[in-house]
Amino acid sequence: MIRTVAGVAELRAHLAGWRERGQRIALVPTMGNLHPGHHSLIELARRNADRVVASVFVNPTQFGPDEDFARYPRTPEADAEGLARAGCDLLFLPGVEAMYPLGVEAAVRIRVPGLADVLEGAARPGHFDGVASVVARLFNLVRPDVALFGRKDYQQLQVIRHLVRDLAFAIDIVPGPTVREPDGLAMSSRNQYLGAEERRVAVEIIRNLRTMREQAALGLPIAGIEQEALERLAAAGFAVDYAVIRRADLGRPEAGNEAGLIGLIAARLGRTRLIDNLAFDEPLDAC
Ligand code: AMP
């Protein structure tokens, strides 16, 4: 069984022992309901540090009022087992009081301007303020040498990088590749909300990202590529928040043949909101 701590004092005592021995500490922040995508981050953490801490906290401040905070799947026992198998040393499972000691209403909020207002930020106002605020707290509590985040949440990764640079956290940020189901659907805790027919249709997201990549490689105009993807997704039954091509820094590209472009899609199937992205210079066999 993996060692699990809920309190800040206990967490700090544990970390102090490792630090005294000069061990490099990795942090993998999660909201739990762990799947092979999360486990791959733990394994990557193992290769980047001597000790690996995972946090499981369904952070209320990153959910909008009409979102799925209450029904977000919570599976602490299975999470603990999976973390132990993946090579994690310590599970930090805080309650709201440990993360927000003054209460959620009184909590200091961190805002990343610009980046937090586009794409995911435009569709989910306040979401990245919640993410930046909780990750900054986790960084201060754990004080890791390295922290790992999935490319699956590409914009989140950019927000975290901005946070770390601007607030001078001495933490290396290491991204992990997106782990997918055999048909290409990006693994996500929210996939289990999908009904059988929705699950069959969900694969259209990665299919469209691949088509966008192929069309960009042919030099087709970006606006046309985006519009076609939007129409195909809508025809398949999605309510699309965005289907776009951006530069790695999420700025708008001038032309589709620029290096380092990335396609990003967010779309809803019924009540389930799915996101995915594809870096166009990733090797074709990778996804
Ligand atoms: P979450 O529990 O959804 O907040 O995710 C915790 C971490 O796991 C984040 O850094 C995510 O980007 C990452 N993650 C989620 N899904 C995947 C996936 N399919 N492949 C790789 N990393 C993922």
Side-chain angles (χ1 to χ4, degrees):
M1 262 320 269
I2 189 169
R3 183 68 187 264
T4 302
V5 296
V8 171
E10 209 186 339
L11 171 72
R12 290 216 158 115
H14 225 88
L15 295 166
W18 294 343
R19 245 179 232 117
E20 265 167 34
R21 280 173 254 151
Q23 293 179 323
R24 185 172 155 88
I25 297 169
L27 171 66
V28 180
T30 81
M31 297 204 301
N33 192 242
L34 304 181
H35 53 63
H38 299 110
H39 298 151
S40 75
L41 288 182
I42 302 289
E43 284 154 17
L44 189 56
R46 274 251 72 95
R47 302 201 286 278
N48 279 273
D50 303 305
R51 294 289 182 177
V52 179
V53 182
S55 61
V56 170
F57 180 63
V58 186
N59 173 35
T61 67
Q62 71 189 70
F63 288 79
D66 301 324
E67 295 185 356
D68 56 343
F69 175 68
R71 70 183 178 118
Y72 196 84
R74 290 156 169 91
T75 51
E77 277 117 46
D79 290 349
E81 274 170 34
L83 285 171
R85 268 201 309 275
C88 183
D89 297 294
L90 183 67
L91 166 58
F92 180 43
L93 192 68
V96 175
E97 332 72 59
M99 293 306 295
Y100 297 103
L102 305 183
V104 169
E105 289 306 314
V108 173
R109 293 265 182 153
I110 296 175
R111 233 194 109 51
V112 176
L115 203 48
D117 300 320
V118 298
L119 303 174
E120 280 303 282
R124 305 182 66 189
H127 169 67
F128 286 124
D129 299 5
V131 169
S133 303
V134 81
V135 170
R137 284 170 155 72
L138 287 168
F139 283 175
N140 278 328
L141 289 167
V142 177
R143 292 198 292 117
D145 301 287
V146 53
L148 296 97
F149 293 86
R151 284 189 193 276
K152 153 85 167 43
D153 298 283
Y154 183 80
Q155 191 176 356
Q156 170 173 283
L157 177 64
Q158 297 304 102
V159 165
I160 303 299
R161 283 178 161 148
H162 188 116
L163 175 82
V164 163
R165 282 184 65 194
D166 201 39
L167 296 189
F169 282 107
I171 300 172
D172 297 330
I173 301 301
V174 174
T178 301
V179 176
R180 298 178 179 280
E181 299 287 354
D183 68 354
L185 176 66
M187 287 193 178
S188 163
S189 305
R190 292 190 167 102
N191 290 350
Q192 64 198 266
Y193 298 156
L194 298 168
E197 174 59 15
E198 289 173 338
R199 173 62 188 83
R200 204 182 53 74
V201 173
V203 72
E204 292 303 326
I205 293 184
I206 183 63
R207 283 203 188 133
N208 272 277
L209 287 167
R210 290 181 185 132
T211 305
M212 291 164 83
R213 171 171 63 184
E214 281 158 23
Q215 291 177 329
L218 292 173
L220 301 184
I222 290 181
I225 299 174
E226 293 175 341
Q227 183 59 31
E228 272 186 34
L230 219 122
E231 285 167 13
R232 278 191 306 266
L233 287 163
F238 289 91
V240 185
D241 283 340
Y242 56 81
V244 296
I245 296 174
R246 290 288 186 267
R247 294 196 313 244
D249 65 0
L250 294 178
R252 281 177 199 273
E254 310 259 300
N257 54 7
E258 272 179 40
L261 294 184
I262 170 167
L264 302 110
I265 291 177
R268 278 163 288 129
L269 269 180
R271 289 170 74 202
T272 308
R273 188 168 182 280
L274 302 173
I275 65 170
D276 199 358
N277 67 81
L278 184 61
F280 289 174
D281 49 16
E282 249 174 71
L284 272 166
D285 55 357
C287 35

